[in-house]
Amino acid sequence: MHPLLSEDAGKNMLLLGNEAIVRGALEAGCAVAAAYPGTPSSEIGNNLFFISQEKDSPIYFEFSTNEKVAMEVAAAAAAAGVRSLTCMKHVGMNVASDVLMTLAYVGVKGGMVIITADDPSMHSSQNEQDNRCYARFANLPMLEPTSPAEARDMTVAAFELSEALELPVMVRTTTRTSHVRGPVELKTLPEEVKRKGAFEKDPRRWVPVPAVARIRHKVLLEQIEKAKALSEASSFNILSGNGPLGIVASGVSACYVEDALMELGCADKVSFLRLGFPYPFPRKKIGAFLKDVEKVLVVEELEPFLEEEINLIARDLGIDVQVMGKATGHFSRMYEFDPFMVKRAIADAAGLELERPKRPDLSGIPTLPLRPPVLCKGCPHRETYNAVRDALKELDLEEKAVYPTDIGCYTLGLLPPIQMADYLLCMGSSVGTSAGFSISTDHKIISFIGDSTFFHSGISSLANAFHNRHEFCLVILDNSTTAMTGHQPNPGIEIRPPGYDKPRIPIEDVVRGLGITDIHKVNPYKKKDARSVFKDVLSRGGLSVVIAEAPCILYYRKFGGKK
Amino acid sequence: METKKILFTGVGGQGTLLASRLLGQAAMEAGIPVRVSEVHGMAQRGGVVESTVMLGGLKSPIISQAEADILVSFEPLEALRALGRCSAGSTIITNTVPIVPFTVDLGQAEYPDMDYWLDFMKNNFARVCALDADALAKEAGTTRAVNVVLLGTLISLGEIPVSRQMMEETIRQNVKPKFIDANLKALGLGFERAGC
Ligand SMILES: Cc1ncc(C[n+]2csc(CCOP(=O)(O)OP(=O)(O)O)c2C)c(N)n1
Ligand code: SF4
């Protein structure tokens, strides 16, 4: 049995934040979940996937082809009264945002929880956008845990809130809350989970044509007013200590504050407001807090989300309080924080001495060799890159070549000695940007996209490329898995996790179905053959697709023998 | 309760995450407040993998410059890279077996003279244990138990409130049955033969 299905209520488990979210969903009786993977959210989907593969699993889960689809699957289940969840990395929310903005208008019946896992410092992402802004943008309530135990509690609470307000509720983590382990005391799993609901038709609610949308926008604003009352009263917004210096923080920043107060020994001389239910802002609570302090330090990573609101509240209530944060240079809008950074800011604000522990002189340490991430030994992507490069060399086209690329293990082709990744925006961008380069330059355009990314957001752009007669060669790197994020399945895979019996969609059929005829398949390990196919294709103009088919070697080792 | 900030560092595939998880598990079973942080994602690709174990009620998942109480490094170059996170009062445990990065072969930088730098560590930090954890793991029956050897050494120092017995129990409960004996042996060798 999957460990997260443990019936041992009262037992402590050392869970990852992401695992705690899964446990919370199970304890809340969530019956439908859908996701597209992405670090730092991936372990949520991975665990749900394996749980859903169990006999008599209490939950349906699917890896959807992208975040938008996943959110739609979960939204409809919730509209039918079934509790549902979707999770994604921060940029996944951009893909799903078209759903999100209007889902907020029509709302839900069964509880629906949206997990967004942000990545300050971009440990494994292309940007560090702050998805708290989506809560404000879409007008949806949001909770922000600081520990695995709280991640479980908040997931459960989010389902309840969602049902009470008939709105989806966001739970926002960051890398440092998703990937931290801590004890979680298990609570009981429901005896019965509502797996089937019934959709009650109500076109004046569920079909937001303009006349309906106008009504629903009003409803949304009324609901978020009610949510405000709930955040004012929420036990997730905790006030502690009492002193002229105020501190406001949420998420992992609140952890740094707590440790700093302990280490500085000033916990009781500082008023600390920890916001676990930060949106809608508990304005009254914050206002009362501001009245009691002389100055306030706002500790939050990325955007000045709380800070700006605190400034507004102080102005609206005519409170004379000094607000310290990003605008005042106490903290940066970039990158994640660390404990010392927060401790120093607090010590400065509190007028306390703070010294870093003494460190021996390390200035003699030479420049150390780095260990940048690389493609695994024997990775098929490397062979494909080599074949393309060799073909271009033989055609004397290497100088002219530009390589729009995409997101996956193969993006590591950026690094020497390969260096065949020239332009990247987001998942799927290889295809659309190839079109742009092909009409605006005389370069030879060869772009790369992975199989999972192709299903995520490559297909409609390839239809566009064919229809609008763009000329480039798209190489689809079909390694039979979503490797980068931990080997999740996708619709095209030939090698499958045990028990995975969903129908396969061969990529070649999709491409052919779009009307493209210049299609080839290569095995990148057969170097000579692969090179000659690329040579042939690249010597022509027009739109061509080469599918380089060879499994990811790590994935093959895991599941290759078991069909 | 006294707090301890323990930093584990190593190279992808060496089992740093499992080590921090086992220590976290043992601490939890012993009723010690604990948080463990892990690096996921690109880690498998031969990069540097760091994790932390925070004992005694600390809430922060990561460790700032000069603030680690104990550094446990699975590879000597990585110990050197992580020295900035230690203070003069820190304890350092390091494996002495190098894993040479491919950037050295590409000529981008040299692998440092570790004999010199291990001496430097011994002369400048409060307590330093350097051992051939690969050899001890091999002796225990599996080269993959380098992580458990180092856990044994860590526990032998008596600086954290986790005993050898507790760790043995955790290994029995969390390691696949066929690897339990080798891991217990590795723990014992790391405990007894660290030479520090
Ligand atoms: C919108 C969005 N969702 C998810 C991710 C995370 N992510 C990065 S690469 C990738 C999948 C890569 O799979 P594939 O294209 O098959 O390439 P592979 O890693 O297998 O080579 C994912 C899910 C992202 N960067 N953006
Ligand atoms: S995980 Fe697979 S696809 Fe990614 S680099 Fe390794 S072999 Fe290549």
Side-chain angles (χ1 to χ4, degrees):
Chain A
M1 193 184 61
H2 194 285
L4 291 174
L5 286 171
S6 167
E7 296 279 358
D8 243 344
K11 178 174 116 175
N12 270 315
M13 277 178 84
L14 192 71
L15 298 184
L16 211 54
N18 282 345
E19 294 167 346
I21 287 169
V22 172
R23 177 69 191 189
L26 294 169
E27 287 177 3
C30 174
V32 170
Y36 185 75
T39 316
S41 77
S42 300
E43 298 77 18
I44 304 172
N46 293 353
N47 279 290
L48 286 168
F49 172 70
F50 286 113
I51 289 168
S52 71
Q53 298 274 91
E54 297 258 328
K55 215 168 138 262
D56 300 323
S57 168
I59 193 164
Y60 169 85
F61 174 78
E62 68 174 42
F63 279 117
S64 304
T65 43
N66 66 35
E67 292 86 353
K68 173 180 189 290
V69 177
M71 193 179 281
E72 288 161 349
V73 170
V82 173
R83 286 192 166 185
S84 71
L85 175 142
T86 184
C87 58
M88 63 206 68
K89 70 181 285 157
H90 59 335
V91 289
M93 193 68 110
N94 301 335
V95 178
S97 61
D98 204 10
V99 184
L100 184 81
M101 299 305 292
T102 304
L103 173 60
Y105 280 30
V106 302
V108 295
K109 287 284 187 185
M112 174 172 172
V113 174
I114 300 168
I115 313 282
T116 164
D118 294 7
D119 191 18
S121 274
M122 299 158 279
H123 296 280
S124 35
S125 305
Q126 67 267 39
N127 77 21
E128 57 176 347
Q129 67 187 51
D130 186 337
N131 275 10
R132 294 179 301 171
C133 300
Y134 267 116
R136 192 173 51 193
F137 192 21
N139 265 306
L140 291 176
M142 175 183 64
L143 305 177
E144 240 196 308
T146 65
S147 67
E150 221 171 53
R152 188 274 311 275
D153 294 348
M154 285 188 179
T155 304
V156 175
F159 278 104
E160 280 152 19
L161 264 177
S162 170
E163 261 161 37
L165 295 164
E166 295 205 359
L167 288 178
V169 170
M170 284 173 57
V171 176
R172 185 233 190 195
T173 67
T174 60
T175 302
R176 300 301 180 185
T177 42
S178 274
H179 289 164
V180 71
R181 264 175 209 283
V184 176
E185 191 186 319
L186 302 187
K187 296 197 177 134
T188 48
L189 294 174
E191 285 192 3
E192 199 112 22
V193 171
K194 181 176 173 186
R195 309 264 331 233
K196 292 274 181 208
F199 178 62
E200 281 176 41
K201 294 188 187 189
D202 179 1
R204 288 176 59 80
R205 169 158 186 189
W206 302 116
V207 188
V209 292
V212 175
R214 284 181 202 118
I215 301 168
R216 293 307 304 178
H217 192 190
K218 185 159 170 280
V219 173
L220 171 59
L221 296 184
E222 285 161 10
Q223 291 309 93
I224 205 72
E225 264 323 295
K226 288 182 200 155
K228 230 175 244 176
L230 298 175
S231 86
E232 293 287 0
S234 173
S235 59
F236 293 133
N237 293 331
I238 305 162
L239 183 64
S240 59
N242 189 3
L245 171 63
I247 298 177
V248 181
S250 66
V252 74
S253 303
C255 298
Y256 302 146
V257 172
E258 278 190 47
D259 284 357
L261 294 178
M262 179 180 72
E263 292 181 347
L264 292 166
C266 63
D268 51 348
K269 296 184 204 75
V270 171
S271 305
F272 176 30
L273 180 59
R274 198 177 102 180
L275 295 176
F277 187 167
Y279 196 83
F281 302 109
R283 293 187 112 235
K284 282 189 200 136
K285 193 167 214 160
I286 295 173
F289 174 80
L290 294 179
K291 276 191 191 129
D292 284 346
V293 296
E294 286 162 18
K295 49 186 181 177
V296 60
L297 182 69
V298 188
V299 191
E300 59 185 328
E301 291 172 331
L302 303 177
E303 295 304 309
F305 181 79
L306 302 171
E307 180 180 334
E308 285 178 354
E309 190 67 18
I310 286 169
N311 272 309
L312 283 178
I313 294 170
R315 195 200 59 192
D316 291 351
L317 299 179
I319 303 168
D320 183 22
V321 58
Q322 183 194 350
V323 179
M324 300 172 289
K326 308 200 188 243
T328 51
H330 287 79
F331 289 109
S332 169
R333 274 172 80 164
M334 292 186 291
Y335 317 144
E336 65 179 5
F337 292 171
D338 70 69
F340 188 82
M341 186 190 285
V342 173
K343 193 157 49 179
R344 190 182 49 207
I346 294 175
D348 282 353
L352 296 168
E353 287 288 314
L354 173 66
E355 264 183 69
R356 236 187 238 272
K358 286 237 170 353
R359 203 165 66 177
D361 179 9
L362 301 179
S363 57
I365 297 181
T367 310
L368 300 177
L370 299 173
R371 297 185 195 272
V374 276
L375 294 171
C376 305
K377 218 165 151 191
C379 172
H381 295 334
R382 186 183 286 110
E383 304 306 325
T384 304
Y385 280 124
N386 286 338
V388 172
R389 145 117 5 108
D390 291 347
L392 285 167
K393 271 196 184 136
E394 288 181 20
L395 292 169
D396 209 16
L397 283 172
E398 207 190 351
E399 297 289 309
K400 260 187 94 180
V402 168
Y403 311 102
T405 193
D406 228 301
I407 309 192
C409 282
Y410 50 94
T411 318
L412 292 171
L414 164 82
L415 302 172
I418 299 175
Q419 292 177 294
M420 291 170 72
D422 293 330
Y423 191 79
L424 169 68
L425 296 170
C426 58
M427 281 189 77
S429 71
S430 58
V431 189
T433 60
S434 293
F437 284 122
S438 77
I439 48 171
S440 58
T441 70
D442 288 325
H443 294 301
K444 186 81 192 162
I445 309 299
I446 305 109
S447 49
F448 296 92
I449 189 169
D451 51 340
S452 188
T453 305
F454 179 73
F455 284 106
H456 178 280
S457 48
I459 298 175
S460 62
S461 343
L462 193 56
N464 173 72
F466 177 71
H467 178 66
N468 285 312
R469 293 208 186 89
H470 293 298
E471 301 200 9
F472 59 92
C473 172
L474 177 67
V475 183
I476 303 179
L477 299 153
D478 184 359
N479 62 356
S480 207
T481 188
T482 314
M484 179 81 161
T485 44
H487 303 108
Q488 294 83 1
N490 70 56
I493 59 169
E494 207 164 6
I495 297 167
R496 303 166 155 250
Y500 194 75
D501 63 353
K502 303 193 177 185
R504 172 166 184 251
I505 309 174
I507 291 176
E508 186 184 355
D509 295 359
V510 178
V511 177
R512 220 173 272 293
L514 295 176
I516 297 168
T517 48
D518 199 358
I519 310 176
H520 308 266
K521 257 199 213 175
V522 300
N523 175 347
Y525 294 112
K526 294 196 171 148
K527 294 179 203 234
K528 248 171 78 189
D529 294 356
R531 184 177 1 135
S532 80
V533 168
F534 280 118
K535 216 174 138 182
D536 174 43
V537 165
L538 295 172
S539 61
R540 290 195 293 272
L543 176 65
S544 58
V545 171
V546 180
I547 304 170
E549 227 181 34
C552 155
I553 50 165
L554 291 192
Y555 181 68
Y556 186 79
R557 263 182 230 149
K558 212 151 80 182
F559 295 130
K562 318 167 194 168
K563 283 229 169 160
Chain B
M1 187 180 286
E2 199 189 355
T3 61
K4 284 284 176 204
K5 299 174 184 170
I6 309 163
L7 177 65
F8 288 83
T9 184
V11 178
Q14 283 194 298
T16 41
L17 295 191
L18 183 60
S20 52
R21 206 172 298 174
L22 285 172
L23 180 57
Q25 186 77 29
M28 183 183 78
E29 306 284 350
I32 302 160
V34 59
R35 262 180 209 184
V36 178
S37 91
E38 303 182 351
V39 170
H40 289 226
M42 303 280 268
Q44 304 121 300
R45 313 279 186 280
V48 181
V49 181
E50 236 186 59
S51 59
T52 67
V53 176
M54 313 290 268
L55 298 176
L58 292 163
K59 303 286 188 336
S60 304
I62 55 174
I63 300 176
S64 298
Q65 292 290 311
E67 292 206 327
D69 295 307
I70 305 173
L71 167 67
V72 183
S73 179
F74 288 46
E75 200 276 348
L77 162 62
E78 293 316 316
L80 189 54
R81 202 191 305 279
L83 281 188
R85 310 282 280 288
C86 299
S87 67
S90 302
T91 293
I92 299 171
I93 298 168
T94 182
N95 187 8
T96 53
V97 183
I99 298 177
V100 178
F102 74 95
T103 50
V104 170
D105 301 330
L106 292 179
Q108 290 176 3
E110 272 177 45
Y111 196 94
D113 172 1
M114 282 316 306
D115 288 338
Y116 174 85
W117 287 108
L118 285 173
D119 273 344
F120 173 86
M121 289 181 210
K122 286 178 185 152
N123 295 332
N124 288 281
F125 293 87
R127 199 170 183 188
V128 177
C129 278
L131 63 149
D132 183 338
D134 285 50
L136 294 179
K138 206 166 166 193
E139 190 178 331
T142 162
T143 48
R144 302 193 56 180
V146 167
N147 51 2
V148 177
V149 169
L150 292 167
L151 277 179
T153 305
L154 169 63
I155 289 166
S156 75
L157 300 183
E159 295 182 15
I160 58 169
V162 173
S163 69
R164 178 171 171 179
Q165 259 171 332
M166 290 175 197
M167 200 62 209
E168 285 175 347
E169 194 45 40
T170 302
I171 287 174
R172 276 193 204 98
Q173 283 176 11
N174 291 277
V175 171
K176 281 200 189 120
K178 65 173 177 181
F179 298 121
I180 291 177
D181 283 344
N183 274 288
L184 290 177
K185 197 159 170 216
L187 186 80
L189 289 174
F191 192 95
E192 286 151 14
R193 298 247 300 271
C196 54

